[in-house]
Amino acid sequence: MTWQVDGPQWCTPGLDVRGGRYPLAVEAPVLRMIDRLVPGVSTLTYLGRYYSLYWALAEYAERNRLDAAACKTLLRRAEVGVALTSMWDPESGTIFPANSGMHGSSTIGAVMDKGLQKLADEGAGSYSPRTWGFWSQYGGPSVTLGSVAVEKRAFRRGEVQCPEAVFELFHPLLKLCAERPVAETDLPHLPNYADFGPASADYEPLRGLLVGEPSLRDTPVGNDGTRRAAFRLIARSTQLAGSEPTSSWTAVVRKAVGYGPYLADDPVLAHEDQAQAWRGTLLRHRSVGAWRWLWSALVEQVHESVSPVPAAHLSDWIREAVDDVSLRTFLQDLPPTRVTLENLLPAESEIDARLADDGGVQWAVGLLLLGAQRSAELADDTARLAFLGGSARGANEFLSPAWVAGRRNDFADASLGDFAAALVDDMLAQSHRVALRKTSVQAGRLVMFSKLHEREGLYFATGTEGRGNVGLRTEQLGSLAHQLGLVDVQDDGVRTVTELGRAALDLPS
């Protein structure tokens, strides 16, 4: 018989358990490199029009010397106003309660039957649960771009002054929102801020801001050159590998930059300083995704169990999930990784195709072993350093590709199942280290950020972990390039660089 102790009732529990992000802490090397390679764009900044909104809002706050409280009120009302203009149907004279693609529109559509006047207020019925609305997504990038400065939490003009045409585009909305929330009767008199294209007043200024196009910028600011290099890399990859239908910008960049000879012989990529750093980051990204998938599968095994499980149960689970072969045999069957030092083969993509139907575990183990091989093969110093996360010390991190290479050598004469079981032990130990490192005291109580817990040798889970990989910001870069008219995407997924894109990014035909 199993007994569950509930209590004691005379005091509150002394430990709070919450799910934490990055339970294995394997993501940092990729995240560090992406911060360096894509300044001014984040995984949440995919609508160019909002950069323009905050650019104009900062100018309005500067001219009117608004304090932090007034800025927050103006911001929230303006974000609601932008969403409402995108939902307004001029033919029927009504607001269409559906997701228009602009931030907050789906939430507004769900609560607008209670009235519009309270949408911008904080609390229940608001368009956003965050105090500063969607500025929390665009704030850091906007400051990096130089379009906004923040002084004592109030918006101010940044290094790059807002062009008068951009300010005038948003001035009617901002002037109204400084006085009161947007009402339905205001919408016929405001532009639809979802409409963005070559005729938009902010089309060229925004391209100059984001892409650093010399003809549109008098003086480069901050990380303009690095961000411009990222847009050039997206566009050149499209020229080299975008002719085949694909569902993602990441796939296009992997083909042209992650693999192949282009970094050695292409007239653009061979001379692009950031290209080798991108190669190292793209390759490390695959190892990170494999660890995240494997950890998620492990936690799911524990979570689905009717009772806590011992570590031996998890070792048995992973042994059964891989082929009954030696590790040496499995390594020999891995696809080749290169033709020459600079011409890398898409071995990871071949593993994707070869092991897609094996349930995932053997696929993840294969990717980790390929990452271990890559760690010793990258010939370019920049690519190797990026693969390590921007620092040579990255080779010594737990669960790094070098760590996997060491474990591979330890189990050179063992079975694939024994090697996989060792990875389970390593993940369990690492998750415990990470949970202890993140444990904090809040309001006099210990808070532990973990979904997997161990008591007396038995493991239980309070939830499951996501299996998706961290973002590379390539999708956001591609989306912004598309909005700015630099690239085009056909219905079948074929991608091309426009004439404007070639001119703006100085690319060959």
Side-chain angles (χ1 to χ4, degrees):
M1 178 179 294
T2 300
W3 295 87
Q4 179 175 339
V5 177
D6 184 17
Q9 301 296 329
W10 43 265
C11 69
T12 59
L15 175 66
D16 286 341
V17 175
R18 303 177 189 174
R21 298 178 69 193
Y22 310 143
L24 295 181
V26 295
E27 299 84 359
V30 168
L31 297 177
R32 282 197 300 268
M33 287 307 304
I34 292 302
D35 278 342
R36 298 179 191 180
L37 293 170
V38 197
V41 176
S42 80
T43 54
L44 299 174
T45 54
Y46 54 87
L47 291 175
R49 177 46 65 81
Y50 282 84
Y51 285 104
S52 300
L53 169 65
Y54 302 127
W55 205 0
L57 198 153
E59 181 67 21
Y60 187 92
E62 173 82 29
R63 295 184 185 187
N64 293 276
R65 305 306 300 174
L66 302 183
D67 61 15
C71 284
K72 183 174 70 171
T73 299
L74 177 61
L75 170 89
R76 293 181 65 86
R77 289 175 178 176
E79 289 183 342
V80 170
V82 167
L84 286 174
T85 65
S86 71
M87 301 165 68
W88 173 253
D89 178 17
E91 292 186 5
S92 63
T94 59
I95 301 172
F96 192 63
N99 185 356
S100 67
M102 302 302 280
H103 293 309
S105 59
S106 58
T107 300
I108 290 173
V111 301
M112 58 179 289
D113 58 333
K114 300 177 182 178
L116 305 183
Q117 294 303 302
K118 300 293 185 180
L119 285 174
D121 294 347
E122 296 181 58
S126 170
Y127 78 106
S128 173
R130 291 165 291 193
T131 300
W132 287 84
F134 295 100
W135 168 252
S136 59
Q137 298 172 199
Y138 290 80
S142 293
V143 172
T144 298
L145 289 168
S147 57
V148 181
V150 179
E151 298 177 4
K152 297 181 180 179
R153 306 196 74 179
F155 301 128
R156 289 295 181 264
R157 182 185 301 144
E159 288 184 81
V160 185
Q161 184 169 352
C162 180
E164 195 64 25
V166 178
F167 180 74
E168 289 300 324
L169 172 65
F170 289 95
H171 185 257
L173 174 68
L174 296 174
K175 186 173 184 296
L176 171 64
C177 291
E179 300 172 357
R180 59 174 174 79
V182 174
E184 186 169 351
T185 54
D186 298 317
L187 298 177
H189 311 291
L190 292 172
N192 181 350
Y193 287 108
D195 289 341
F196 180 78
S200 301
D202 56 341
Y203 190 70
E204 284 197 352
L206 188 58
R207 197 170 76 241
L209 179 70
L210 287 171
V211 183
E213 188 175 341
S215 64
L216 300 176
R217 292 289 294 274
D218 295 331
T219 305
V221 173
N223 295 308
D224 276 1
T226 304
R227 187 172 51 259
R228 178 174 173 78
F231 276 104
R232 292 189 81 224
L233 183 136
I234 285 281
R236 186 56 177 166
S237 297
T238 301
Q239 288 182 313
L240 297 172
S243 60
E244 297 180 6
T246 181
S247 61
S248 74
W249 291 104
T250 303
V252 173
V253 175
R254 283 196 194 282
K255 289 180 183 179
V257 179
Y259 309 117
Y262 296 124
L263 269 60
D265 59 23
D266 180 69
V268 175
L269 295 181
H271 302 284
E272 179 51 69
D273 294 340
Q274 305 295 335
Q276 289 287 355
W278 271 99
R279 169 167 282 186
T281 304
L282 288 163
L283 293 173
R284 183 62 180 271
H285 185 250
R286 296 309 307 272
S287 290
V288 170
W291 277 124
R292 287 173 61 86
W293 194 99
L294 205 55
W295 176 251
S296 174
L298 183 153
V299 173
E300 185 177 271
Q301 285 292 315
V302 177
H303 188 254
E304 291 181 349
S305 177
V306 295
S307 59
V309 301
H313 172 88
L314 298 173
S315 296
D316 292 341
W317 156 71
I318 204 166
R319 282 192 176 94
E320 294 174 0
V322 299
D323 291 345
D324 185 16
V325 298
S326 69
L327 177 59
R328 195 181 305 276
T329 297
F330 186 74
L331 288 169
Q332 291 171 348
D333 287 340
L334 288 177
T337 55
R338 62 185 181 179
V339 177
T340 65
L341 291 177
E342 290 293 341
N343 186 358
L344 304 189
L345 291 172
E348 290 82 358
S349 300
E350 189 171 333
I351 285 288
D352 292 341
R354 186 190 298 181
L355 301 179
D357 299 325
D358 79 332
V361 171
Q362 191 154 294
W363 162 81
V365 172
L367 286 179
L368 291 175
L369 287 167
L370 284 175
Q373 188 170 337
R374 299 284 193 193
S375 67
E377 288 182 349
L378 287 173
D380 184 88
D381 290 341
T382 301
R384 187 186 310 112
L385 192 63
F387 188 76
L388 296 176
S391 170
R393 292 177 297 176
N396 302 319
E397 294 177 351
F398 289 114
L399 307 189
S400 70
W403 173 281
V404 177
R407 298 299 269 165
R408 175 199 62 197
N409 296 339
D410 292 341
F411 286 81
D413 299 319
S415 69
L416 177 62
D418 286 346
F419 171 74
L423 297 184
V424 166
D425 293 339
D426 291 341
M427 287 192 291
L428 292 174
Q430 174 67 351
S431 71
H432 185 63
R433 283 190 290 265
V434 172
L436 290 178
R437 187 169 71 236
K438 292 181 177 179
T439 298
S440 62
V441 177
Q442 299 180 12
R445 299 161 62 85
L446 279 175
V447 180
M448 176 171 282
F449 298 91
S450 179
K451 292 183 180 179
L452 187 75
H453 306 273
E454 181 265 337
R455 297 289 186 275
E456 299 181 354
L458 298 176
Y459 289 88
F460 65 94
T462 56
T464 57
E465 299 278 9
R467 297 191 180 187
N469 206 345
V470 294
L472 289 167
R473 304 187 193 172
T474 43
E475 301 306 316
Q476 289 72 25
L477 282 168
S479 175
L480 289 170
H482 187 211
Q483 293 170 52
L484 294 170
L486 305 175
V487 296
D488 188 34
V489 183
Q490 300 177 17
D491 291 340
D492 61 359
V494 171
R495 294 149 201 263
T496 57
V497 177
T498 64
E499 183 177 348
L500 173 61
R502 290 192 296 272
L505 296 169
D506 191 24
L507 296 175
S509 301

